Amino acid sequence: MKRTWVAASAVLAVALLLAACGSSSSSSTSTGSSTTANAGKQLKIAYLSFAVANSYDAPMLAAAQAVADENNAKLTVLDANNDPNKQFSQLQNVITQGGYDGVILQPINSTNLITPAQDAISKKIKVANIDQILGPKLDTVEKQVQGQSVNVTFVPTDIGTKLGKLVVQACQQNNLNPCKVGYLYDIKASALDVAIRQAFDAAIKGSPVKIVAEGQSFFTPAKGLAATQDMLQAEPGLNLIVGADQGIEGATQAIGKKKVLLVGYGGSAAAVQGVQSGAWYGDVAQNPATEGRVGTQQIIGAIRKGTDYPAVNAVDQLPGGGVITKENASQFHPEWPG
């Protein structure tokens, strides 16, 4: 359950991260996450990244590294490069090698890390999970692994519901009936995409929205461009395209001057700028830097103080419930470039 990603612009990612650290978007997750700088021995924490060279992961990792540096902790970054089997082996190696005080997980697949995570906990290694879900239930932010110390994530089904409602709103406001929609999956077979699509379908039920074309972006503008071109060729009367931000970035290139509404999710700088300009109708926000920062603060607290933290929804106090429209786009502070 993961993405094939775009290489990050390190300078832009860091700039966005610095801006985000001072923004209102991080305020919802500050409770219970403070640590004492440089307290005690240097901690050793494994950071299992789904893909280091990814524009969404880059600010998450940068935020985690900054917190570690401030709190006498060493992050050992292990890059799975979107391979769930590799990530499984990496976690097994962390446990076998020993010497780690904690591990931060970014699951590519929601369920295949459960058993090694349980093994880590049984060996007194503190486990933090950030970004995507660790467990079979994709409709909750709550922890699903007994003994897990930290969980800072988003809820996939929430994204699908918000996307569906936003698409219905876009179609109704533009008097489109039927409203012919092209749906861009990210990776169609992934648990993430299945959960988002099921919630999306429930949200549009009974509305004028009709899915008439589908494609896959693999979370890249290039794939989004190609998929949109194919959809437009098959259904030249498309009214709207919906998908993750990277896919919608590709769609903007494909539609040219055609009047096609665009709805994305991710809350990237590209999305916020697109919504503000009117090029995109709307977007659903995510906060990767917040996840990296709070997750690392809390795992350090768990190791040093023995604290198990309540689960955190990284987007639960964003403006507009995390739904970005032209009216409120200026209130959002994107944490990644897109």
Side-chain angles (χ1 to χ4, degrees), residues 76 110 128 155 196 257:
T76 299
S110 64
V155 180
I196 291 175
K257 295 183 179 180

Side-chain angles (χ1 to χ4, degrees), residues 163 167 181-186 216-225 227-228 231 240-255 260-266 268 270-271 274-275 279-284 336:
L163 276 179
V167 167
V181 173
Y183 188 96
L184 278 176
Y185 285 97
D186 307 305
Q216 293 186 83
S217 72
F218 296 94
F219 290 90
T220 69
K223 295 290 186 179
L225 168 61
T228 301
M231 290 194 299
L240 185 149
I241 296 170
V242 59
D245 284 1
Q246 296 101 324
I248 298 301
E249 288 179 68
T252 61
Q253 301 173 51
I255 64 175
V260 179
L261 300 171
L262 300 173
V263 175
Y265 82 86
S268 65
V275 175
W280 298 27
Y281 179 82
D283 199 79
V284 178
W336 63 293

Side-chain angles (χ1 to χ4, degrees), residues 174-223:
N174 287 273
N175 298 314
L176 301 173
N177 190 359
C179 186
K180 299 179 180 180
V181 173
Y183 188 96
L184 278 176
Y185 285 97
D186 307 305
I187 302 173
K188 187 174 182 178
S190 71
L192 172 67
D193 268 78
V194 170
I196 291 175
R197 180 59 186 268
Q198 287 177 345
F200 179 91
D201 286 345
I204 66 171
K205 188 175 181 180
S207 77
V209 176
K210 305 296 179 187
I211 306 298
V212 297
E214 295 179 348
Q216 293 186 83
S217 72
F218 296 94
F219 290 90
T220 69
K223 295 290 186 179

Side-chain angles (χ1 to χ4, degrees), residues 55-251:
S55 62
Y56 178 86
D57 183 45
M60 204 181 317
L61 176 54
Q65 188 65 66
V67 171
D69 291 345
E70 293 169 358
N71 289 277
N72 197 21
K74 179 183 179 182
L75 283 189
T76 299
V77 180
L78 303 171
D79 183 7
N81 195 25
N82 299 300
D83 184 341
N85 294 324
K86 182 176 181 179
Q87 190 174 56
F88 180 89
S89 297
Q90 287 172 336
L91 182 52
Q92 285 187 317
N93 290 339
V94 165
I95 298 167
T96 301
Q97 291 170 6
Y100 287 95
D101 301 292
V103 59
I104 298 172
L105 306 178
Q106 294 177 343
I108 297 169
N109 180 294
S110 64
T111 57
N112 78 331
L113 296 185
I114 292 176
T115 298
Q118 292 170 331
D119 291 342
I121 292 166
S122 72
K123 296 182 184 300
K124 310 302 181 184
I125 300 172
K126 296 292 185 180
V127 171
N129 182 65
I130 64 175
D131 193 45
Q132 290 199 37
I133 302 298
L134 177 65
K137 298 178 181 178
L138 301 183
D139 60 355
T140 179
V141 74
E142 297 304 322
K143 300 173 188 173
Q144 299 179 50
V145 175
Q146 186 173 2
Q148 179 184 330
S149 297
V150 177
N151 202 53
V152 184
T153 66
F154 64 88
V155 180
T157 54
D158 284 355
I159 290 178
T161 298
K162 291 172 184 177
L163 276 179
K165 290 180 177 179
L166 196 54
V167 167
V168 171
Q169 178 181 303
C171 294
Q172 290 176 340
Q173 287 187 355
N174 287 273
N175 298 314
L176 301 173
N177 190 359
C179 186
K180 299 179 180 180
V181 173
Y183 188 96
L184 278 176
Y185 285 97
D186 307 305
I187 302 173
K188 187 174 182 178
S190 71
L192 172 67
D193 268 78
V194 170
I196 291 175
R197 180 59 186 268
Q198 287 177 345
F200 179 91
D201 286 345
I204 66 171
K205 188 175 181 180
S207 77
V209 176
K210 305 296 179 187
I211 306 298
V212 297
E214 295 179 348
Q216 293 186 83
S217 72
F218 296 94
F219 290 90
T220 69
K223 295 290 186 179
L225 168 61
T228 301
Q229 288 172 332
D230 289 343
M231 290 194 299
L232 288 169
Q233 185 173 7
E235 292 286 345
L238 278 181
N239 302 127
L240 185 149
I241 296 170
V242 59
D245 284 1
Q246 296 101 324
I248 298 301
E249 288 179 68

